[in-house]
């Protein structure tokens, strides 16, 4: 069984920084795409940033230039460095990964439990 465990959320003032981490564990053959989504109260979940196994990345327009996604495949971990945080970044942030496992013929989409990020003014 595969699990994604996030850490690094918290409370921060506008202009501050946080670094989110997400580590995958279990019987993993290969991790393909890793990413971060977020969901604010009353809004739909949106993709924030995504990184492929070739380390190609993409970002939602609202975070470009402020957030950086990276991954460490030796640790099965993806990071999201968030700088210049704004109140509108407040949301629950979810880790996502498409993972190949020995017991399934196709990669499966896994989710973390979410971590709260609150930017207060």
């Amino acid at each position: 069984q595969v699990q994604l465990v996030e850490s690094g959320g918290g409370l921060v003032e506008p202009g501050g920084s946080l670094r989110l981490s997400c580590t995958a564990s279990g019987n993993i053959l290969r991790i393909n795409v890793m990413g971060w989504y977020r969901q604010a109260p009353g809004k739909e979940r949106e993709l924030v940033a995504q990184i492929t196994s070739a380390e190609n990345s993409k970002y939602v327009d609202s975070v470009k230039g402020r957030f950086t996604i990276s991954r460490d495949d030796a640790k099965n971990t993806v990071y999201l460095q968030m700088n210049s945080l704004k109140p509108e970044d407040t949301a629950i942030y979810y880790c996502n990964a498409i993972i190949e496992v020995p017991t399934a013929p196709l990669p499966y989409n896994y989710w973390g439990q979410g971590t709260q990020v609150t930017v207060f003014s």
Side-chain angles (χ1 to χ4, degrees):
Q1 183 158 348
V2 173
Q3 285 189 319
L4 300 182
V5 178
E6 300 128 331
S7 62
L11 227 55
V12 65
E13 293 182 344
S17 297
L18 285 174
R19 188 192 194 208
L20 305 183
S21 300
C22 171
T23 299
S25 62
N27 197 3
I28 297 169
L29 285 177
R30 173 186 166 89
I31 302 177
N32 297 333
V33 180
M34 304 185 83
W36 291 93
Y37 287 71
R38 67 185 178 187
Q39 188 165 20
K43 295 188 176 181
E44 293 187 353
R45 190 175 297 191
E46 67 170 350
L47 175 64
V48 177
Q50 200 171 59
I51 186 167
T52 68
S53 56
E55 301 203 19
N56 296 312
S57 58
K58 66 177 182 181
Y59 301 88
V60 66
D61 286 346
S62 59
V63 309
K64 285 180 180 177
R66 301 188 298 122
F67 291 12
T68 302
I69 190 170
S70 61
R71 60 190 284 169
D72 184 340
D73 289 336
K75 298 180 179 179
N76 289 341
T77 298
V78 62
Y79 305 97
L80 186 68
Q81 178 65 43
M82 305 186 293
N83 299 329
S84 303
L85 282 160
K86 304 175 181 180
E88 51 264 43
D89 294 318
T90 295
I92 299 175
Y93 284 70
Y94 296 91
C95 175
N96 171 262
I98 299 174
I99 299 176
E100 298 177 23
V101 298
T103 53
L106 296 172
Y108 190 78
N109 202 15
Y110 292 90
W111 291 92
Q113 80 285 356
T115 185
Q116 178 71 48
V117 171
T118 303
V119 185
F120 65 95
S121 55

